[in-house]
Amino acid sequence: VTLVDGGDLAHGDLDNHQICTWIMTCTVPTLAPQLTSHIFLPALCRLVVGRGDGSIVLVPATQTIMLHLLAGRHHKYTAWPSHQLLQGHRGRVNCLLYPNNENPRYDASHLVSGGIDFSVCLWDIGSGALLHRFSCHGGELQRLVVPPPGVSTRVGHCVCGVASDHSVSLLSLKESRCVMLASRQIFPVSQVKWKPQDDFLLLGCTDGSLYIWQMETGHLDRVVTGMAAQEVLEACASPACARDRKSTRLNSSHPRYL
């Protein structure tokens, strides 16, 4: 299911039939907030849509698709499952993440959103409550990423946020705090890679440089440039490297990584 960015959803007191229809067709007055991000929750069969006014709407996916794609008596139904409205961001919702989609180690009730207001919000989608607001970035959030299997238990409860001020954070959903903030990148971060066996978070920048951070301590291990940076990124992308804990480690004594 794909929603078209830039579509609209009306304000006001809407019934669930209208919400479902407008989410899919995006044909309502131009003064309504734009749809700026979206995600599908297959386990819950729900669509989550972030909007330009900072609100987040959750609607039942099956009924929404039926209204948009199928003709029949269901268009006259009024007893649709209720939609949910989450309000917490001040301005556009840039990105949404349902961590349980990526790995079952995350709480199935947690939804994460990042906005233009520099904040990351943790939501309980069962109650609609805002559980915590992370405010460690100095720029709007651009991406939210889940760490891969093999990281430490502490990092395994985190999500990774990438912001427009070139900073990257590890935000613990369990501890409700930022456990690491990598903020020394001079250029925008274009790639986020992981080296779990060495406890490294690797951040590739648009100028070709690579910043290697220790996740547990939050220390910048080194900055790699040129061909060496490309080789390190390619090594991290290798499936064999991700599986094999005995693969070449990023030791400072290894000349190819200096």
Side-chain angles (χ1 to χ4, degrees):
V1 177
T2 302
L3 299 179
V4 180
D5 290 346
D8 295 316
L9 187 62
H11 284 294
D13 297 327
L14 306 177
D15 61 34
N16 298 315
H17 182 285
Q18 290 173 309
I19 287 284
C20 293
T21 302
W22 287 343
I23 281 286
M24 293 300 294
T25 59
C26 303
T27 55
V28 291
T30 56
L31 295 179
Q34 290 185 326
L35 309 185
T36 56
S37 57
H38 61 275
I39 190 172
F40 175 53
L41 314 186
L44 303 177
C45 199
R46 303 179 83 181
L47 287 171
V48 184
V49 180
R51 305 198 291 174
D53 65 350
S55 63
I56 300 170
V57 182
L58 292 85
V59 294
T62 304
Q63 287 80 6
T64 303
I65 295 170
M66 286 173 61
L67 286 171
H68 183 61
L69 299 178
L70 303 177
R73 290 180 296 176
H74 58 271
H75 280 268
K76 299 179 182 180
Y77 295 166
T78 57
W80 294 98
S82 61
H83 67 277
Q84 202 171 1
L85 185 66
L86 310 180
Q87 294 181 307
H89 284 287
R90 296 178 290 274
R92 184 178 67 237
V93 179
N94 287 340
C95 47
L96 294 164
L97 177 68
Y98 183 59
N100 189 261
N101 269 358
E102 308 295 330
N103 196 298
R105 68 176 181 261
Y106 291 97
D107 193 322
S109 67
H110 284 171
L111 174 72
V112 186
S113 61
I116 196 174
D117 58 356
F118 304 179
S119 70
V120 175
C121 291
L122 173 62
W123 305 90
D124 184 322
I125 56 177
S127 65
L130 175 59
L131 300 177
H132 189 74
R133 183 191 304 274
F134 301 93
S135 301
C136 55
H137 290 284
E140 63 182 273
L141 270 294
Q142 297 176 323
R143 280 186 292 160
L144 292 167
V145 184
V146 168
V151 296
S152 68
T153 302
R154 187 188 189 198
V155 175
H157 290 292
C158 295
V159 296
C160 177
V162 182
S164 62
D165 65 338
H166 313 162
S167 66
V168 175
S169 63
L170 288 179
L171 308 172
S172 175
L173 306 186
K174 184 177 182 179
E175 302 175 34
S176 296
R177 70 186 188 92
C178 175
V179 299
M180 193 198 86
L181 181 64
S183 58
R184 294 179 60 182
Q185 290 76 228
I186 300 175
F187 290 88
V189 175
S190 58
Q191 298 185 71
V192 177
K193 299 291 184 180
W194 310 83
K195 190 77 171 175
Q197 60 267 40
D198 296 322
D199 189 45
F200 284 146
L201 172 63
L202 299 91
L203 306 176
C205 298
T206 55
D207 69 330
S209 60
L210 178 66
Y211 290 71
I212 302 176
W213 293 83
Q214 295 178 354
M215 289 185 282
E216 287 293 335
T217 64
H219 293 153
L220 177 61
D221 187 81
R222 78 200 75 167
V223 180
V224 185
T225 59
M227 290 298 297
Q230 187 62 36
E231 290 177 357
V232 173
L233 287 173
E234 290 175 355
C236 290
S238 169
C241 176
R243 291 192 304 265
D244 187 1
R245 285 183 172 269
K246 297 181 180 180
S247 60
T248 303
R249 300 172 70 87
L250 300 184
N251 293 326
S252 57
S253 60
H254 199 301
R256 71 183 292 187
Y257 299 123
L258 296 178

